[in-house]
Amino acid sequence: MPERAERGKMANDKYSGSYNAGPQLPSYMKKNMTTAKRTTQPAAARSTAKSGAPSARTSAAAKRTTAAHTTATRSTATRSTASRSSARSSTAHSAAARSSATRSTAAHSTAAKANTRHAANQVQHKKRKRKKSGSGALKWIALAAAALICVIIIMSIANSGGADAVADMDKLMQTSKRFKAGVKLIGVDVSGMTPEEATGLVKNAAEKKLKTVAVTISSGENSWTLDSDAMGMGYDIADALADGLNFGRGEDDNTVVITDGGVGEFDAKYTWDRGKIISALAAMSQSINTEATAAYAEPVTDWTQEERFIYHAGEEGITLNEEATADAIEKALGQGEFVCTVEATVNAVLPGGNIDDLKAATSFIASYTTKFSARRDDEVKQNRKFNIQKAADIINGNTIQPGEEWSFNTVVGPRTYELGWKGANGISGGKEYTIQAGGGICQVSTTLYNALLCANMEIVDRRAHTIPSDYVPVGLDATVDTRGIDFVWKNNTDMPAYIFAKVENVEGSSSRHTITVYVYGKPLPEGVTYQSRNEIIEERSRQDEAIYTNDASIPTGYQLERVQGHKYYVAEAYQDKYVDGKLAESKLLYTDKYKGNPPEVSIGTGAPLASGQTPDPAWQPYGTALEDAN
């Protein structure tokens, strides 16, 4: 083989071994390769020999530049899988080898056909080129040094936050570079466009994508959906523009791929406000959170049953873990899952106490009983019995939580005929009895009051009648009035308290009845009991103050006691504490005064009764001695 042809073959072999088309072979490179096939062997050899080393150095610099930029932008999308990159690289090297072999064959064929004159001209041309070889070598050294400096600068920028500089929108808008074929930004094909031309379309695509955001928070049977506004979402397309512009411009394209996307597709960088997410979750928590239910005792109000309580175990509650749920939401958004369902993270709230502890703290503490009569032929007394029974049924089985106040008027409600109460005697004007709706229920409030004193509960509001009651010792009564006077007490223990009320007949009597109030709750200390007690400090009759008036409607010789007199009392109330049956302490609660009232009597001045006329049962013979009601 001629020397020149051999040198051409060696040059071609060198060219064939060093050329690499890269994983993506743009169309313009294919065109250049077709042209190269038509070039003569000596020319191809000289071109390869001169440009081989600088090209290698330049390619290496470009490779490092692409890798640095790709590293800076990996946060905006998912990287290509290693297997896909490896496959592309392998394919690229195979293509390069086949291309090199084709060029080598073409070059050898051309060399064989070259004539001697052409070879001589080439020798002369080579001599002339040698004269300039000194200056050419310096030129290539300078270019290599410049390329190395560029690589160092680019890597420095990449390591110090250079992604921000590359993605700077102002610079991107000024560049005249155009996107390679197949580049898509947020699904928009921007092939052949400049960043400035593509920006409007890309922004529109990003905004549309945000409008599709629907993150559903699920908790049991309930769910809530958050949109992009609720989570304060936004976007940044600078990195997407920069990545798209760099795509296809290096020998080793370490491409970035979005979820469900392909090579050459890039997405925006999306942001959200964790504070807004937490606020939205806090609003949801009001519907998610449930309090734990402690073990509780259910009072049994049916007196035919022996047990007074049914005990129930407590139930767990839940509370929304806002921070953990926000983490799950952010994780989904970070993975590009803009339409998804996130299960709310909840923490269990354990119930307090147990049934055994509750039973131990639900014991009988004390009771108190008062008596009353109701003859079957006395309608007013029968109505009074009805009212007592009605009020007892209302308070029977009431539960009062620790620290809670209990109001008689609030629980029993107004006493009116419309509400089913019946007319019976009630104190009016502080000195006499009149028929009133609900008359007689003060006996219920008074019985409850004394039971609570025996249970050592706290009395908040209690008032005495103007006339002492005949069913309790003077000073131990507690009046109520639907127009304002109330009886209030407080559960001063750390466990629930319960009250029961029972009305029953006195054995062996059809007209005598009792009402008993029972108090249950946290037991008193071992051996400790309490009792209510009164002491009358002063007592006097007001008969000598009787008020007499003449009345012509009453026959002469008769009198009518219109208002019965009541004694004056000063009484003290005590709560006595006993330990193992012995009085340990006597506590003065208060001192009450009952003013009483003088009798008011009408003296008859009318015509005497005719012979055989029957006097009114309410009239008494004139001069009949008056008696106090108490």
Side-chain angles (χ1 to χ4, degrees), residues 2-3 6 19 95 185 222 244 256 259 275 290 313 335 373 469 487 546 607 615:
E3 181 181 356
E6 183 64 25
Y19 179 75
L185 306 183
N222 300 320
V256 180
T259 304
T290 59
Q335 293 175 345
S373 64
S469 302
F487 170 63

Side-chain angles (χ1 to χ4, degrees), residues 214-219 222-227 230-231 276-290 318-322 325-326 329 342-346:
V215 178
T216 300
I217 314 303
S218 176
S219 177
N222 300 320
S223 63
W224 300 262
T225 300
L226 301 179
D227 59 14
M231 295 184 287
K276 286 191 174 183
I277 295 175
I278 292 292
S279 297
L281 292 174
M284 296 176 198
S285 67
Q286 299 176 9
S287 300
I288 296 175
N289 296 350
T290 59
I318 60 171
T319 181
L320 176 64
N321 188 327
E322 297 171 7
T325 305
I329 293 173
V342 173
E343 187 70 25
T345 302
V346 296

Side-chain angles (χ1 to χ4, degrees), residues 53-234:
S55 293
R57 287 192 296 269
T58 305
S59 296
K63 183 186 301 182
R64 288 192 294 271
T65 302
T66 302
H69 181 71
T70 301
T71 301
T73 59
R74 283 176 181 168
S75 61
T76 62
T78 308
R79 283 174 290 187
S80 299
T81 60
S83 59
R84 185 183 301 172
S85 177
S86 176
R88 286 199 304 269
S89 178
S90 176
T91 302
H93 280 291
S94 298
R98 289 194 297 270
S99 176
S100 179
T102 301
R103 286 194 302 270
S104 178
T105 302
H108 277 290
S109 178
T110 302
K113 295 178 181 181
N115 53 40
T116 305
R117 184 179 299 171
H118 180 72
N121 291 337
Q122 290 297 322
V123 171
Q124 293 297 323
H125 179 71
K126 185 176 180 180
K127 290 181 180 180
R128 290 193 298 270
K129 294 291 288 182
R130 285 174 181 170
K131 295 180 180 179
K132 300 180 180 180
S133 61
S135 60
L138 292 175
K139 179 179 179 180
W140 285 115
I141 292 173
L143 289 173
L148 181 61
I149 292 173
C150 287
V151 171
I152 294 173
I153 292 174
I154 291 172
M155 293 185 66
S156 175
I157 292 174
N159 293 331
S160 62
D164 292 337
V166 174
D168 184 84
M169 287 296 291
D170 290 339
K171 292 182 179 179
L172 287 170
M173 294 303 102
Q174 294 173 6
T175 184
S176 59
K177 291 182 179 180
R178 296 183 178 275
F179 295 101
K180 296 296 183 180
V183 174
K184 291 184 179 180
L185 306 183
I186 321 180
V188 177
D189 189 342
V190 295
S191 303
M193 298 182 187
T194 64
E196 184 178 11
E197 293 169 346
T199 295
L201 296 173
V202 176
K203 283 185 175 180
N204 184 57
E207 290 170 1
K208 284 185 177 180
K209 186 168 183 177
L210 286 183
K211 290 179 181 179
T212 67
V213 172
V215 178
T216 300
I217 314 303
S218 176
S219 177
E221 297 181 354
N222 300 320
S223 63
W224 300 262
T225 300
L226 301 179
D227 59 14
S228 58
D229 290 337
M231 295 184 287
M233 292 187 68

Side-chain angles (χ1 to χ4, degrees), residues 346-366:
V346 296
N347 297 333
V349 181
L350 300 178
N354 55 61
I355 290 181
D356 291 336
D357 293 338
L358 183 61
K359 287 182 177 180
T362 312
S363 301
F364 167 76
I365 304 175

